[in-house]
Amino acid sequence: MEVRVRFAPSPTGFLHVGGLRTALYNYLFARKHNGKMILRIEDTDRTRLVENAIDNLINSLKWAGIEYNEGPDKAGEYGPYIQSERLDIYKKYALELVEKGLAYYAFDTSDEIEEMRKNSSETFGTKYNREAMRNQLTLGEDETKKILASGHDFVIRLMVPFDHEVSFNDIIRGEVKVSTNDIDDQVLLKSDGFPTYHLANVVDDHLMKISHVIRGEEWLPSTPKHVLLYNYFGWEIPKFAHLPLLLNKDKSKLSKRQGSVAVEDFREKGYLKDAFINFIALLGWNPTGDREIYSLDELIEYFNLEKVNKGGAVFDVQKLDWVNQQYLKSVNFNEVAKEISLVSKEKFGKLYDSEFLNKVFNLFKERVTFVSEITSIADYMFSDINEFDKDYIQKKWLPGTEEIVIELIKVYENCNNFEHDELSSKTKEFALGLGKKLGDIIHPIRIMITGKSTGAGMFETMEVLGKTECLKRMSYFIQNKIYDV
RNA sequence: GGUCCCAUAGACUAACGGUUAGGUCACCAGCCUUUCACGCUGGCAGUAGGGGUUCGAAUCCCCUUGGGAUCACCA
């Protein structure tokens, strides 16, 4: 049987990182088994529609590199892939159930239902009391027909029997059993003509020939309802795999409040797509347990639903940062060129040469978590120094330094190859000639050229900045007696 | 509260019923050094508790405790 999985988000805003993880696992599973992945939009709640949400969702998935074979923007045999465009289908199946006596019409108002739930009954508890409310069962066929004919609002509810055991096998959790006594007569078709999630997802998964339903653990409690529906329709039940939740630091379900949860926020913050995917994939699973960095191909190759953890995983930004740093160190400059160019342009109002940016990036990529950080920790690479570290000057600019530097400038003026090796040997030679160590002299150089106490290797830095600029900064420093603090 | 799910260090995780319980982040120390990083070496720290089953349990079973999810005409 062909493996067909789906990612079925509701377009209520942006793609949640938990959703991305679910999408990723679906994707890995599909790729691993040479199957198909479907993107289906579950927009059956008209009260929660958000503009552009679908585009946002798709953009985030695209950014993450999660490709699907069928979806709203990718025609397939089983469309449409947006539930609000499939209303007739759901209605037809809801009526089929009514026909079979496995579902029924109900006409209660929300106030009546609220009232009913407050007064729990002997046999139904707080569940919908189908024996005491206004519905097809209590009103009778004739009255029901009359009400329907009058155009009155109605819903269709699932008829759940007493004392049956519903069980299903979850790939990650094993067998799960629930008594039908704990299952409510769920509404299948709402009064606005839209289906509820439960009806829509079962109908669609069947019609779209979904073989494996891989979704978040929050769906586990309602899965028995879905199983009941499959049985009522006489359809084959897909395999289920309920993924562990992504958690906040306090172990509650990952949510806003405690930081970003929208994928696009992470993207904007500057996380590399590959790093983010790598990190997310390892929340709930590890292919080998002996390393942390895996390429997408490796993730696909090793993916195994049965080895996915059962417990929820805390989303640890600190580790995410570390992973991002790992990727940053080995990333090809082309992948970050655009961002660093954009950020520096914005910050310093000028477009920098790509070759120059490449050099700067290589100088600092091991010192930052994000590309954009480079423009702040190494702002002196992009513009004149706007602030000198006074403490550093006091500590390293000793009496006599000025005279030494004036001599050093002459040495540098005579450099033909103003690059690392020559600068290094010439400076060492110079220091030695004065009976000093390189360390004694390199700090003042750093002060004059960068203004900061920290940075990349001094000679590499000078090489990138160039002879003219370095000499200019040194003379400026001396002439303006900046060391006088 | 009912139902369901879960439980290896602060966090993410590995471990055919047989390992000195392994790796990673964070943290601490040292090394490297031209500052800061990177890197390297070492360290701290874990099977929630109690019963079983077994020659042997992190692993299987039960109970307790703890955590989470879910109980809508939301998904």
Side-chain angles (χ1 to χ4, degrees):
Chain A
M1 187 178 71
E2 190 190 21
V3 165
R4 287 176 59 83
V5 298
R6 73 338 185 249
F7 175 54
S10 64
T12 53
F14 308 106
L15 181 58
H16 188 281
V17 290
L20 178 67
R21 207 269 307 256
T22 301
L24 176 62
Y25 279 21
N26 270 285
Y27 175 75
L28 295 176
F29 186 78
R31 288 287 305 273
K32 163 93 180 188
H33 296 97
N34 293 312
K36 296 268 180 357
M37 173 157 168
I38 289 91
L39 173 66
R40 186 174 71 219
I41 303 299
E42 311 230 324
D43 60 344
T44 56
D45 184 356
R46 294 195 302 173
T47 65
R48 292 212 296 181
L49 286 187
V50 174
E51 209 164 339
N52 298 326
I54 295 179
D55 286 344
N56 262 307
L57 231 33
I58 289 174
N59 284 339
S60 287
L61 286 174
K62 276 210 176 111
W63 170 72
I66 294 177
E67 294 167 17
Y68 40 90
N69 305 282
E70 298 163 30
D73 57 341
K74 264 198 176 160
E77 281 179 66
Y78 305 93
Y81 296 94
I82 296 179
Q83 291 187 328
S84 58
E85 296 172 10
R86 301 169 63 80
L87 263 29
D88 292 347
I89 300 174
Y90 308 122
K91 184 158 191 186
K92 177 188 147 212
Y93 284 102
L95 291 176
E96 178 186 325
L97 253 27
V98 173
E99 204 64 30
K100 288 180 176 173
L102 299 169
Y104 57 90
Y105 290 103
F107 309 102
D108 318 280
T109 66
S110 41
D111 287 347
E112 286 165 350
I113 291 172
E114 198 182 324
E115 186 61 25
M116 175 216 72
R117 290 194 197 278
K118 265 190 256 170
N119 311 308
S120 74
S121 79
E122 186 92 357
T123 41
F124 290 95
T126 57
K127 294 192 299 172
Y128 179 77
N129 187 337
R130 61 174 170 257
E131 290 170 4
M133 303 298 285
R134 292 199 301 142
N135 56 51
Q136 189 178 355
L137 308 171
T138 56
L139 265 26
E141 297 301 317
D142 291 347
E143 181 66 15
T144 298
K145 274 184 190 140
K146 218 185 285 175
I147 296 175
L148 287 173
S150 77
H152 194 285
D153 273 1
F154 67 90
V155 301
I156 291 178
R157 283 183 181 273
L158 181 68
M159 171 83 91
V160 181
F162 282 107
D163 302 324
H164 279 252
E165 187 179 78
V166 179
S167 75
F168 60 95
N169 201 278
D170 187 281
I171 295 171
I172 295 171
R173 292 151 210 284
E175 194 180 25
V176 178
K177 295 184 209 168
V178 178
S179 164
T180 52
N181 296 352
D182 295 314
I183 303 176
D184 206 347
D185 277 7
Q186 183 62 230
V187 167
L188 300 177
L189 201 68
K190 301 184 265 187
S191 59
D192 60 2
F194 280 66
T196 56
Y197 169 83
H198 308 286
L199 205 224
N201 106 86
V202 166
V203 167
D204 285 347
D205 285 344
H206 171 72
L207 260 25
M208 295 178 182
K209 296 197 161 53
I210 300 302
S211 62
H212 300 256
V213 171
I214 304 168
R215 81 234 289 197
E217 192 189 341
E218 67 267 31
W219 295 110
L220 202 49
S222 54
T223 304
K225 280 173 200 168
H226 307 158
V227 171
L228 217 47
L229 279 167
Y230 281 107
N231 290 337
Y232 280 5
F233 283 120
W235 292 338
E236 190 184 342
I237 299 173
K239 301 253 185 301
F240 291 110
H242 287 92
L243 306 174
L245 261 19
L246 257 35
L247 274 25
N248 291 311
K249 278 194 199 77
D250 68 1
K251 303 258 187 188
S252 59
K253 188 169 153 185
L254 189 63
S255 65
K256 223 149 184 167
R257 284 198 65 106
Q258 311 207 16
S260 302
V261 291
V263 171
E264 68 182 62
D265 288 350
F266 289 91
R267 174 190 186 173
E268 272 168 29
K269 223 168 180 181
Y271 288 101
L272 264 16
K273 160 209 128 194
D274 291 334
F276 199 64
I277 288 290
N278 191 149
F279 172 72
I280 290 277
L282 266 37
L283 252 28
W285 168 68
N286 189 299
T288 64
D290 63 1
R291 60 191 167 106
E292 310 295 318
I293 305 298
Y294 298 90
S295 68
L296 187 61
D297 284 341
E298 285 176 311
L299 291 174
I300 291 166
E301 185 190 337
Y302 293 130
F303 193 69
N304 182 184
L305 273 178
E306 275 139 56
K307 288 187 74 181
V308 170
N309 269 279
K310 298 179 178 77
V314 174
F315 188 93
D316 179 8
V317 179
Q318 223 166 14
K319 187 155 180 181
L320 201 211
D321 286 351
W322 176 80
V323 173
N324 201 60
Q325 208 178 127
Q326 297 305 305
Y327 273 80
L328 208 53
K329 280 194 292 188
S330 55
V331 81
N332 189 303
F333 174 70
N334 294 332
E335 285 185 47
V336 298
K338 203 171 163 188
E339 187 187 356
I340 193 168
S341 174
L342 228 61
V343 175
S344 52
K345 166 98 196 289
E346 191 182 321
K347 189 154 180 170
F348 305 104
K350 139 179 189 198
L351 213 51
Y352 297 86
D353 179 64
S354 167
E355 199 183 326
F356 168 76
L357 292 177
N358 192 164
K359 286 177 187 167
V360 174
F361 175 68
N362 281 321
L363 235 39
F364 295 93
K365 64 183 179 185
E366 287 184 356
R367 279 158 244 264
V368 295
T369 302
F370 301 107
V371 172
S372 62
E373 267 180 79
I374 293 175
T375 58
S376 53
I377 70 160
D379 52 353
Y380 53 82
M381 296 304 288
F382 300 87
S383 70
D384 290 339
I385 298 166
N386 47 37
E387 195 184 359
F388 289 88
D389 184 332
K390 292 196 175 78
D391 292 340
Y392 190 39
I393 292 174
Q394 272 173 348
K395 209 160 141 195
K396 299 292 186 181
W397 194 276
L398 307 172
T401 299
E402 185 178 358
E403 289 69 29
I404 293 172
V405 167
I406 288 169
E407 289 308 305
L408 183 61
I409 289 174
K410 289 176 190 161
V411 173
Y412 287 160
E413 276 170 345
N414 290 323
C415 268
N416 297 318
N417 296 310
F418 203 81
E419 40 77 40
H420 176 276
D421 290 352
E422 181 164 339
L423 287 168
S424 176
S425 60
K426 285 273 168 62
T427 310
K428 272 179 190 154
E429 204 177 285
F430 176 77
L432 233 53
L434 295 172
K436 292 182 177 299
K437 284 181 291 183
L438 181 62
D440 297 329
I441 203 153
I442 205 161
H443 292 288
I445 299 174
R446 186 176 290 284
I447 292 170
M448 294 183 289
I449 294 177
T450 77
K452 289 187 195 221
S453 65
T454 65
M458 199 54 234
F459 301 125
E460 287 94 331
T461 303
M462 290 168 74
E463 179 181 330
V464 174
L465 241 23
K467 184 174 178 176
T468 312
E469 181 64 21
C470 288
L471 288 172
K472 191 183 106 190
R473 290 187 185 189
M474 289 172 85
S475 321
Y476 174 87
F477 189 91
I478 297 297
Q479 279 163 21
N480 293 283
K481 297 190 192 319
I482 309 263
Y483 49 80
D484 210 0
V485 289

